[in-house]
């Protein structure tokens, strides 16, 4: 992956992280993604008093991408957390990313200083995943019967 793109995504993820609303966990997370047509979208985690009802940063970035229209193919998503342990997407966010991923979709994780902690494909952290093509195949089979 191009270092300029990595730098751009890292800057956007860190900026989103700075805007996170995390008064309960105090664990701010930012995410930025780039689509196959070069558009960049970012999001941050947003907590609320009904603790499990918060929104993850990855989901916020994906929502921004979808609401903007245009391409819905994630080339790379960068997540900015805090500390030396990579802040990998939760299971729900992995599935949300998968909805718009290709076999080449990259997941990159940085710390609060922008230092890279993890870089691999979505497939490596969500192997044997269920995606839109599973439903298309199922629907086609039902229609044929």
């Amino acid at each position: 992956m191009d270092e300029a793109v990595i730098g751009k995504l890292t800057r956007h993820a860190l900026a989103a992280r700075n805007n996170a609303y995390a008064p309960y966990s105090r664990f701010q997370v930012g995410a930025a993604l780039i689509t196959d047509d070069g558009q960049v979208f970012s999001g941050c985690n947003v907590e609320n008093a009904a603790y499990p009802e918060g929104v993850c940063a990855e989901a916020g970035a994906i929502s921004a991408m979808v609401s903007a229209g245009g391409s819905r193919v994630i080339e790379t998503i960068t997540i900015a957390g805090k500390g030396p342990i990579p802040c990998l997407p939760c299971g729900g966010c992995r599935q949300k990313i998968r909805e718009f991923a290709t076999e080449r979709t990259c997941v990159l994780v940085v710390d609060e200083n922008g230092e890279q902690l993890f870089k691999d494909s979505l497939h490596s952290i969500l192997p044997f995943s269920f995606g839109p093509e599973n439903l298309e195949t199922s629907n086609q089979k039902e229609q044929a019967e």
Side-chain angles (χ1 to χ4, degrees):
M1 168 168 292
D2 183 292
E3 290 299 317
V5 172
I6 291 173
K8 182 177 186 176
L9 288 174
T10 299
R11 286 189 301 279
H12 280 266
L14 290 170
R17 182 182 178 281
N18 287 336
N19 291 328
Y21 180 75
Y24 306 105
S25 71
R26 301 207 188 328
F27 192 81
Q28 296 174 291
V29 181
L33 63 85
I34 190 165
T35 59
D36 61 341
D37 64 357
Q39 295 184 77
V40 174
F41 300 96
S42 59
C44 61
N45 60 319
V46 179
E47 297 176 349
N48 63 64
Y51 215 81
E53 297 302 318
V55 176
C56 295
E58 300 90 332
I62 291 168
S63 291
M65 174 189 72
V66 171
S67 69
S71 177
R72 293 186 176 179
V73 178
I74 298 172
E75 288 290 317
T76 299
I77 185 163
T78 299
I79 299 101
K82 181 179 181 181
I85 299 172
C87 181
L88 287 160
C90 70
C93 284
R94 291 177 195 205
Q95 189 63 44
K96 288 174 182 73
I97 296 165
R98 168 63 174 88
E99 186 71 17
F100 304 100
T102 69
E103 290 182 15
R104 298 180 322 274
T105 298
C106 178
V107 176
L108 177 65
V109 180
V110 299
D111 66 13
E112 69 273 24
N113 300 312
E115 295 297 320
Q116 185 174 308
L117 301 174
F118 178 89
K119 180 182 176 185
D120 209 335
S121 69
L122 176 67
H123 178 74
S124 75
I125 63 171
L126 189 64
F128 308 107
S129 63
F130 185 88
E133 64 280 357
N134 294 98
L135 294 175
E136 291 166 5
T137 302
S138 175
N139 289 339
Q140 290 170 353
K141 184 178 179 181
E142 287 176 8
Q143 290 174 356
E145 293 175 347

